[in-house]
Amino acid sequence: MLAGKKILITGATGLVARTAAETLAEHNEVWCTGRFSDPETERRLKDRGIRTWRWDMAVDELGGLPDDFTHVLHAAVERGGSDFEEVVAVNSVATGRLMTHCRRAEAFLYVSTSAVYAPKAPDHRYTEGDPLGTVSAWLPTYPVGKLATEGAVRALAVTLGLPTTIARLNVAYGPHGHGGLPVILHRQMLAGNPIAVPHEEQHYCSPIHTDDIARHVPRLWAAARTPATVVNWGGDEVVGVRDLMTYISELTGVPVDFVPSDVTRAVVAFDDTRRRSIAGACTTSWRDGVRQALQAHFPGTVEAHPDREASHRDL
Ligand code: NDP
């Protein structure tokens, strides 16, 4: 367990970093930066003893923020719209400012994405050495911004001597923020809209619950090196998107309609060898985790699962 550290987290108002921030705050001094456009989320973070600091990555420098953090988790992302220049510039420059400001830290963790890999067959298990590519029909600017930022992170890890891990996150899901792909697609089902799928086969992913993300963060920090460690960060199980949404339909009774399309939310499945060696196994199975996420986002629509509730209390 990590204790007594001074930790800086970006993106804690979103899905991925919120549980990690709240968990780490139990035994460490945690600061979170962001725009805090939702005051309620900021209040809840403060209720957990977390200090908040306004930082808009698009415009602000970091003057005035303490620079003696021991650990940094950088999860904030400017997804942007269709402006490649803006997405690359905002994310790369903000990350450069952050790493430079926190150059004395013991470890820096950058949350990247599985979307940086070039497409292969749907059932391919991607390793960290697989070819990179930045083509996304769904959100064209996103993987370009993430890969550009990975470059900035690699450079600064070396020039600053800042031990760093780049963790390429798979499909994350959980009780906070937008809930992740399963919750987003369920909202689509509720609105009566079909889910776009490839013309053949289905996409596979390695979904990971935010409880497991929170457990892995200290171990990913422990693996930080110069040059940066790169690791695929997903769950233990590989799940087809069609299978995932069919399971949600069975749980909720909401019908799911699939429509073949050229424009899908392409996801990939990971070879988890390196992640297991660094961070260990996950504890939340995708079926229990998805059920719990649905309960959080759509209260009353899914029955509680006694086993899952028991394991959650043991956290
Ligand atoms: P969310 O969309 O839920 O949250 C985005 C976060 O970024 C918010 O906390 C937001 O804070 C912050 N942010 C956005 N723009 C700015 C800005 N201009 N200045 C400061 N902060 C900003 O993201 P997720 O939690 O889903 O994702 C977190 C990270 O994980 C990202 O880096 C993403 O690329 C990566 N990732 C996520 C996956 C997923 O399945 N969700 C999969 C793969 C990678 P605020 O609004 O308070 O400023």
Side-chain angles (χ1 to χ4, degrees), residues 186-232:
H186 183 54
R187 287 191 200 285
Q188 219 172 296
M189 288 160 59
L190 285 168
N193 296 325
I195 292 172
V197 291
H199 293 279
E200 292 173 13
E201 262 270 17
Q202 62 175 326
H203 290 306
Y204 291 89
C205 59
S206 304
I208 179 166
H209 192 275
T210 47
D211 287 350
D212 281 315
I213 288 176
R215 275 193 196 88
H216 288 177
V217 164
R219 297 173 194 175
L220 293 169
W221 275 326
R225 300 283 184 278
T226 50
T229 300
V230 177
V231 59
N232 287 344

Short mmCIF file of all heavy atoms in Angstrom, two decimals, residues 186-232:
data_model
loop_
_atom_site.label_atom_id
_atom_site.label_comp_id
_atom_site.label_asym_id
_atom_site.label_seq_id
_atom_site.Cartn_x
_atom_site.Cartn_y
_atom_site.Cartn_z
N HIS A 186 -25.04 1.54 -23.55
CA HIS A 186 -26.37 1.26 -22.99
C HIS A 186 -27.27 2.50 -23.10
O HIS A 186 -28.48 2.37 -23.34
CB HIS A 186 -26.25 0.80 -21.53
CG HIS A 186 -27.58 0.45 -20.93
ND1 HIS A 186 -28.44 -0.45 -21.51
CD2 HIS A 186 -28.22 0.91 -19.83
CE1 HIS A 186 -29.55 -0.55 -20.79
NE2 HIS A 186 -29.43 0.28 -19.76
N ARG A 187 -26.68 3.67 -22.92
CA ARG A 187 -27.49 4.90 -23.10
C ARG A 187 -28.04 4.95 -24.53
O ARG A 187 -29.17 5.37 -24.77
CB ARG A 187 -26.65 6.15 -22.84
CG ARG A 187 -26.32 6.38 -21.38
CD ARG A 187 -25.72 7.78 -21.14
NE ARG A 187 -25.00 7.80 -19.88
CZ ARG A 187 -25.58 7.84 -18.68
NH1 ARG A 187 -26.88 7.87 -18.59
NH2 ARG A 187 -24.84 7.85 -17.58
N GLN A 188 -27.21 4.50 -25.46
CA GLN A 188 -27.62 4.46 -26.87
C GLN A 188 -28.80 3.48 -27.04
O GLN A 188 -29.76 3.78 -27.75
CB GLN A 188 -26.43 3.96 -27.69
CG GLN A 188 -26.27 4.63 -29.01
CD GLN A 188 -24.95 4.22 -29.65
OE1 GLN A 188 -23.88 4.52 -29.12
NE2 GLN A 188 -25.02 3.53 -30.78
N MET A 189 -28.71 2.33 -26.37
CA MET A 189 -29.81 1.36 -26.42
C MET A 189 -31.08 1.96 -25.85
O MET A 189 -32.18 1.78 -26.40
CB MET A 189 -29.43 0.11 -25.60
CG MET A 189 -28.36 -0.75 -26.24
SD MET A 189 -27.53 -1.84 -25.05
CE MET A 189 -28.86 -2.81 -24.37
N LEU A 190 -30.96 2.66 -24.72
CA LEU A 190 -32.13 3.26 -24.08
C LEU A 190 -32.79 4.30 -24.98
O LEU A 190 -34.01 4.49 -24.95
CB LEU A 190 -31.71 3.93 -22.75
CG LEU A 190 -31.43 2.98 -21.58
CD1 LEU A 190 -30.76 3.73 -20.44
CD2 LEU A 190 -32.72 2.32 -21.11
N ALA A 191 -31.97 4.96 -25.79
CA ALA A 191 -32.51 5.97 -26.71
C ALA A 191 -33.10 5.33 -27.97
O ALA A 191 -33.60 6.03 -28.86
CB ALA A 191 -31.41 6.96 -27.09
N GLY A 192 -33.00 4.00 -28.03
CA GLY A 192 -33.57 3.30 -29.19
C GLY A 192 -32.68 3.32 -30.41
O GLY A 192 -33.12 3.00 -31.52
N ASN A 193 -31.40 3.67 -30.21
CA ASN A 193 -30.48 3.73 -31.35
C ASN A 193 -29.68 2.43 -31.46
O ASN A 193 -29.27 1.86 -30.46
CB ASN A 193 -29.50 4.90 -31.18
CG ASN A 193 -30.22 6.23 -31.21
OD1 ASN A 193 -31.21 6.39 -31.94
ND2 ASN A 193 -29.78 7.17 -30.40
N PRO A 194 -29.44 1.97 -32.70
CA PRO A 194 -28.66 0.75 -32.88
C PRO A 194 -27.19 0.98 -32.57
O PRO A 194 -26.71 2.11 -32.58
CB PRO A 194 -28.86 0.41 -34.36
CG PRO A 194 -29.18 1.72 -35.00
CD PRO A 194 -29.85 2.57 -33.98
N ILE A 195 -26.48 -0.10 -32.32
CA ILE A 195 -25.03 -0.04 -32.05
C ILE A 195 -24.29 -0.48 -33.31
O ILE A 195 -24.55 -1.56 -33.85
CB ILE A 195 -24.68 -0.93 -30.85
CG1 ILE A 195 -25.30 -0.32 -29.59
CG2 ILE A 195 -23.17 -1.09 -30.70
CD1 ILE A 195 -25.21 -1.17 -28.37
N ALA A 196 -23.39 0.39 -33.76
CA ALA A 196 -22.63 0.10 -34.98
C ALA A 196 -21.60 -0.99 -34.71
O ALA A 196 -20.85 -0.92 -33.73
CB ALA A 196 -21.95 1.38 -35.47
N VAL A 197 -21.57 -1.98 -35.56
CA VAL A 197 -20.60 -3.09 -35.43
C VAL A 197 -19.95 -3.30 -36.79
O VAL A 197 -20.48 -2.88 -37.82
CB VAL A 197 -21.30 -4.39 -34.96
CG1 VAL A 197 -21.78 -4.26 -33.52
CG2 VAL A 197 -22.44 -4.75 -35.89
N PRO A 198 -18.78 -3.98 -36.81
CA PRO A 198 -18.14 -4.22 -38.11
C PRO A 198 -19.00 -5.13 -38.99
O PRO A 198 -19.86 -5.84 -38.49
CB PRO A 198 -16.82 -4.90 -37.74
CG PRO A 198 -16.83 -5.11 -36.28
CD PRO A 198 -18.02 -4.48 -35.68
N HIS A 199 -18.72 -5.11 -40.29
CA HIS A 199 -19.53 -5.91 -41.22
C HIS A 199 -19.34 -7.39 -40.96
O HIS A 199 -20.26 -8.19 -41.18
CB HIS A 199 -19.14 -5.56 -42.66
CG HIS A 199 -19.54 -4.15 -43.02
ND1 HIS A 199 -20.83 -3.83 -43.39
CD2 HIS A 199 -18.84 -3.00 -43.03
CE1 HIS A 199 -20.90 -2.52 -43.63
NE2 HIS A 199 -19.69 -2.00 -43.41
N GLU A 200 -18.16 -7.78 -40.53
CA GLU A 200 -17.90 -9.18 -40.22
C GLU A 200 -17.33 -9.28 -38.81
O GLU A 200 -16.75 -8.34 -38.30
CB GLU A 200 -16.88 -9.76 -41.21
CG GLU A 200 -17.44 -9.87 -42.61
CD GLU A 200 -16.37 -10.28 -43.61
OE1 GLU A 200 -15.29 -10.72 -43.19
OE2 GLU A 200 -16.64 -10.13 -44.81
N GLU A 201 -17.48 -10.45 -38.20
CA GLU A 201 -16.91 -10.69 -36.87
C GLU A 201 -17.45 -9.67 -35.85
O GLU A 201 -18.50 -9.08 -36.06
CB GLU A 201 -15.37 -10.62 -36.93
CG GLU A 201 -14.70 -11.97 -37.03
CD GLU A 201 -14.40 -12.53 -35.64
OE1 GLU A 201 -14.98 -12.06 -34.67
OE2 GLU A 201 -13.59 -13.47 -35.55
N GLN A 202 -16.71 -9.45 -34.79
CA GLN A 202 -17.02 -8.38 -33.82
C GLN A 202 -15.70 -7.86 -33.27
O GLN A 202 -14.67 -8.51 -33.39
CB GLN A 202 -17.90 -8.90 -32.69
CG GLN A 202 -17.27 -10.00 -31.84
CD GLN A 202 -18.15 -10.39 -30.65
OE1 GLN A 202 -18.84 -9.56 -30.07
NE2 GLN A 202 -18.11 -11.66 -30.28
N HIS A 203 -15.74 -6.65 -32.68
CA HIS A 203 -14.56 -6.14 -32.01
C HIS A 203 -14.43 -6.82 -30.65
O HIS A 203 -15.43 -7.09 -29.98
CB HIS A 203 -14.67 -4.63 -31.79
CG HIS A 203 -14.58 -3.82 -33.05
ND1 HIS A 203 -13.54 -3.94 -33.93
CD2 HIS A 203 -15.39 -2.87 -33.56
CE1 HIS A 203 -13.71 -3.11 -34.94
NE2 HIS A 203 -14.83 -2.45 -34.74
N TYR A 204 -13.17 -7.04 -30.25
CA TYR A 204 -12.91 -7.57 -28.90
C TYR A 204 -12.15 -6.51 -28.10
O TYR A 204 -11.42 -5.69 -28.66
CB TYR A 204 -12.07 -8.85 -28.99
CG TYR A 204 -12.84 -10.00 -29.57
CD1 TYR A 204 -12.85 -10.21 -30.95
CD2 TYR A 204 -13.57 -10.86 -28.76
CE1 TYR A 204 -13.58 -11.26 -31.50
CE2 TYR A 204 -14.30 -11.91 -29.30
CZ TYR A 204 -14.30 -12.10 -30.66
OH TYR A 204 -15.03 -13.13 -31.20
N CYS A 205 -12.32 -6.55 -26.78
CA CYS A 205 -11.59 -5.62 -25.93
C CYS A 205 -11.17 -6.34 -24.64
O CYS A 205 -11.56 -7.48 -24.40
CB CYS A 205 -12.43 -4.39 -25.60
SG CYS A 205 -14.00 -4.75 -24.77
N SER A 206 -10.37 -5.65 -23.84
CA SER A 206 -9.92 -6.17 -22.53
C SER A 206 -10.40 -5.18 -21.46
O SER A 206 -9.62 -4.39 -20.93
CB SER A 206 -8.39 -6.27 -22.48
OG SER A 206 -7.90 -7.06 -23.53
N PRO A 207 -11.69 -5.19 -21.15
CA PRO A 207 -12.24 -4.15 -20.27
C PRO A 207 -11.68 -4.23 -18.85
O PRO A 207 -11.39 -5.31 -18.34
CB PRO A 207 -13.75 -4.46 -20.26
CG PRO A 207 -13.87 -5.89 -20.66
CD PRO A 207 -12.70 -6.19 -21.55
N ILE A 208 -11.54 -3.07 -18.25
CA ILE A 208 -10.97 -3.01 -16.88
C ILE A 208 -11.81 -2.07 -16.02
O ILE A 208 -12.12 -0.94 -16.42
CB ILE A 208 -9.48 -2.61 -16.90
CG1 ILE A 208 -8.91 -2.53 -15.47
CG2 ILE A 208 -9.25 -1.30 -17.66
CD1 ILE A 208 -7.39 -2.47 -15.42
N HIS A 209 -12.19 -2.57 -14.85
CA HIS A 209 -13.00 -1.79 -13.91
C HIS A 209 -12.13 -0.76 -13.19
O HIS A 209 -10.94 -1.02 -12.94
CB HIS A 209 -13.66 -2.73 -12.90
CG HIS A 209 -14.73 -2.09 -12.09
ND1 HIS A 209 -14.46 -1.38 -10.94
CD2 HIS A 209 -16.07 -2.03 -12.26
CE1 HIS A 209 -15.60 -0.92 -10.43
NE2 HIS A 209 -16.59 -1.31 -11.22
N THR A 210 -12.74 0.36 -12.82
CA THR A 210 -11.95 1.43 -12.18
C THR A 210 -11.43 1.00 -10.79
O THR A 210 -10.45 1.57 -10.31
CB THR A 210 -12.75 2.74 -12.08
OG1 THR A 210 -14.06 2.46 -11.57
CG2 THR A 210 -12.87 3.41 -13.44
N ASP A 211 -12.03 0.03 -10.15
CA ASP A 211 -11.45 -0.50 -8.89
C ASP A 211 -10.09 -1.14 -9.18
O ASP A 211 -9.13 -0.98 -8.40
CB ASP A 211 -12.36 -1.56 -8.26
CG ASP A 211 -13.60 -0.94 -7.63
OD1 ASP A 211 -13.68 0.29 -7.52
OD2 ASP A 211 -14.50 -1.72 -7.25
N ASP A 212 -10.00 -1.90 -10.28
CA ASP A 212 -8.72 -2.51 -10.63
C ASP A 212 -7.72 -1.45 -11.09
O ASP A 212 -6.52 -1.55 -10.79
CB ASP A 212 -8.91 -3.59 -11.71
CG ASP A 212 -9.43 -4.89 -11.11
OD1 ASP A 212 -8.89 -5.31 -10.06
OD2 ASP A 212 -10.38 -5.47 -11.66
N ILE A 213 -8.21 -0.44 -11.80
CA ILE A 213 -7.33 0.66 -12.19
C ILE A 213 -6.70 1.28 -10.94
O ILE A 213 -5.48 1.50 -10.87
CB ILE A 213 -8.12 1.72 -13.00
CG1 ILE A 213 -8.42 1.14 -14.40
CG2 ILE A 213 -7.38 3.05 -13.08
CD1 ILE A 213 -9.28 2.04 -15.27
N ALA A 214 -7.52 1.53 -9.93
CA ALA A 214 -7.01 2.14 -8.69
C ALA A 214 -5.97 1.24 -8.02
O ALA A 214 -4.96 1.72 -7.51
CB ALA A 214 -8.17 2.41 -7.73
N ARG A 215 -6.21 -0.07 -8.04
CA ARG A 215 -5.23 -1.01 -7.45
C ARG A 215 -3.91 -1.01 -8.21
O ARG A 215 -2.84 -1.19 -7.64
CB ARG A 215 -5.78 -2.43 -7.50
CG ARG A 215 -6.66 -2.77 -6.35
CD ARG A 215 -6.91 -4.26 -6.30
NE ARG A 215 -8.05 -4.49 -5.44
CZ ARG A 215 -9.29 -4.50 -5.86
NH1 ARG A 215 -9.56 -4.35 -7.14
NH2 ARG A 215 -10.27 -4.66 -5.00
N HIS A 216 -4.00 -0.85 -9.54
CA HIS A 216 -2.80 -0.97 -10.37
C HIS A 216 -1.91 0.27 -10.32
O HIS A 216 -0.71 0.18 -10.59
CB HIS A 216 -3.19 -1.22 -11.83
CG HIS A 216 -3.74 -2.59 -12.08
ND1 HIS A 216 -4.22 -3.00 -13.29
CD2 HIS A 216 -3.87 -3.67 -11.25
CE1 HIS A 216 -4.63 -4.25 -13.22
NE2 HIS A 216 -4.44 -4.67 -12.00
N VAL A 217 -2.50 1.43 -10.04
CA VAL A 217 -1.73 2.69 -10.17
C VAL A 217 -0.41 2.66 -9.38
O VAL A 217 0.65 2.96 -9.95
CB VAL A 217 -2.61 3.90 -9.80
CG1 VAL A 217 -1.77 5.15 -9.55
CG2 VAL A 217 -3.62 4.18 -10.92
N PRO A 218 -0.40 2.29 -8.09
CA PRO A 218 0.88 2.30 -7.37
C PRO A 218 1.91 1.35 -7.99
O PRO A 218 3.11 1.63 -7.98
CB PRO A 218 0.50 1.83 -5.96
CG PRO A 218 -0.95 2.18 -5.82
CD PRO A 218 -1.53 1.98 -7.19
N ARG A 219 1.44 0.24 -8.56
CA ARG A 219 2.38 -0.71 -9.17
C ARG A 219 2.91 -0.16 -10.50
O ARG A 219 4.06 -0.42 -10.86
CB ARG A 219 1.69 -2.06 -9.37
CG ARG A 219 1.29 -2.66 -8.03
CD ARG A 219 0.47 -3.90 -8.22
NE ARG A 219 -0.16 -4.26 -6.95
CZ ARG A 219 -1.02 -5.25 -6.82
NH1 ARG A 219 -1.34 -5.99 -7.86
NH2 ARG A 219 -1.55 -5.52 -5.66
N LEU A 220 2.09 0.58 -11.19
CA LEU A 220 2.57 1.21 -12.43
C LEU A 220 3.59 2.30 -12.11
O LEU A 220 4.55 2.51 -12.85
CB LEU A 220 1.40 1.76 -13.24
CG LEU A 220 0.46 0.67 -13.80
CD1 LEU A 220 -0.83 1.30 -14.35
CD2 LEU A 220 1.15 -0.12 -14.91
N TRP A 221 3.38 3.00 -10.99
CA TRP A 221 4.39 3.97 -10.56
C TRP A 221 5.70 3.26 -10.20
O TRP A 221 6.79 3.73 -10.54
CB TRP A 221 3.89 4.75 -9.34
CG TRP A 221 3.04 5.94 -9.66
CD1 TRP A 221 3.17 6.78 -10.74
CD2 TRP A 221 1.94 6.44 -8.88
NE1 TRP A 221 2.20 7.77 -10.68
CE2 TRP A 221 1.44 7.58 -9.55
CE3 TRP A 221 1.32 6.04 -7.70
CZ2 TRP A 221 0.36 8.33 -9.07
CZ3 TRP A 221 0.26 6.78 -7.22
CH2 TRP A 221 -0.21 7.90 -7.89
N ALA A 222 5.58 2.12 -9.53
CA ALA A 222 6.79 1.38 -9.13
C ALA A 222 7.58 0.91 -10.35
O ALA A 222 8.78 0.68 -10.25
CB ALA A 222 6.40 0.20 -8.24
N ALA A 223 6.90 0.77 -11.48
CA ALA A 223 7.56 0.30 -12.71
C ALA A 223 8.12 1.46 -13.54
O ALA A 223 8.69 1.23 -14.62
CB ALA A 223 6.58 -0.50 -13.55
N ALA A 224 7.97 2.69 -13.06
CA ALA A 224 8.41 3.86 -13.84
C ALA A 224 9.93 3.88 -13.98
O ALA A 224 10.66 3.62 -13.02
CB ALA A 224 7.93 5.14 -13.15
N ARG A 225 10.39 4.18 -15.20
CA ARG A 225 11.83 4.19 -15.50
C ARG A 225 12.15 5.31 -16.47
O ARG A 225 11.26 5.90 -17.09
CB ARG A 225 12.25 2.87 -16.18
CG ARG A 225 11.99 1.60 -15.38
CD ARG A 225 13.04 1.40 -14.28
NE ARG A 225 12.84 0.14 -13.57
CZ ARG A 225 11.97 -0.06 -12.58
NH1 ARG A 225 11.22 0.94 -12.16
NH2 ARG A 225 11.87 -1.23 -12.00
N THR A 226 13.46 5.55 -16.68
CA THR A 226 13.91 6.36 -17.81
C THR A 226 14.84 5.48 -18.65
O THR A 226 15.80 4.93 -18.07
CB THR A 226 14.70 7.60 -17.35
OG1 THR A 226 15.69 7.20 -16.41
CG2 THR A 226 13.81 8.63 -16.72
N PRO A 227 14.61 5.31 -19.94
CA PRO A 227 13.45 5.76 -20.70
C PRO A 227 12.15 5.14 -20.16
O PRO A 227 12.19 4.15 -19.43
CB PRO A 227 13.74 5.26 -22.12
CG PRO A 227 15.17 4.87 -22.16
CD PRO A 227 15.56 4.52 -20.76
N ALA A 228 11.05 5.71 -20.59
CA ALA A 228 9.75 5.34 -20.04
C ALA A 228 9.41 3.87 -20.27
O ALA A 228 9.69 3.31 -21.33
CB ALA A 228 8.66 6.21 -20.65
N THR A 229 8.79 3.27 -19.27
CA THR A 229 8.20 1.93 -19.41
C THR A 229 6.88 2.09 -20.17
O THR A 229 6.10 3.00 -19.88
CB THR A 229 7.89 1.36 -18.00
OG1 THR A 229 9.11 1.28 -17.28
CG2 THR A 229 7.23 0.00 -18.10
N VAL A 230 6.65 1.20 -21.13
CA VAL A 230 5.38 1.21 -21.87
C VAL A 230 4.65 -0.09 -21.60
O VAL A 230 5.26 -1.17 -21.68
CB VAL A 230 5.62 1.37 -23.39
CG1 VAL A 230 4.30 1.31 -24.15
CG2 VAL A 230 6.35 2.68 -23.68
N VAL A 231 3.36 0.00 -21.24
CA VAL A 231 2.62 -1.22 -20.91
C VAL A 231 1.17 -1.10 -21.37
O VAL A 231 0.56 -0.03 -21.26
CB VAL A 231 2.71 -1.52 -19.39
CG1 VAL A 231 2.15 -0.37 -18.55
CG2 VAL A 231 2.02 -2.83 -19.04
N ASN A 232 0.66 -2.20 -21.90
CA ASN A 232 -0.77 -2.27 -22.22
C ASN A 232 -1.55 -2.50 -20.93
O ASN A 232 -1.27 -3.45 -20.19
CB ASN A 232 -1.04 -3.43 -23.19
CG ASN A 232 -0.55 -3.12 -24.58
OD1 ASN A 232 -0.27 -1.98 -24.92
ND2 ASN A 232 -0.44 -4.15 -25.41
#
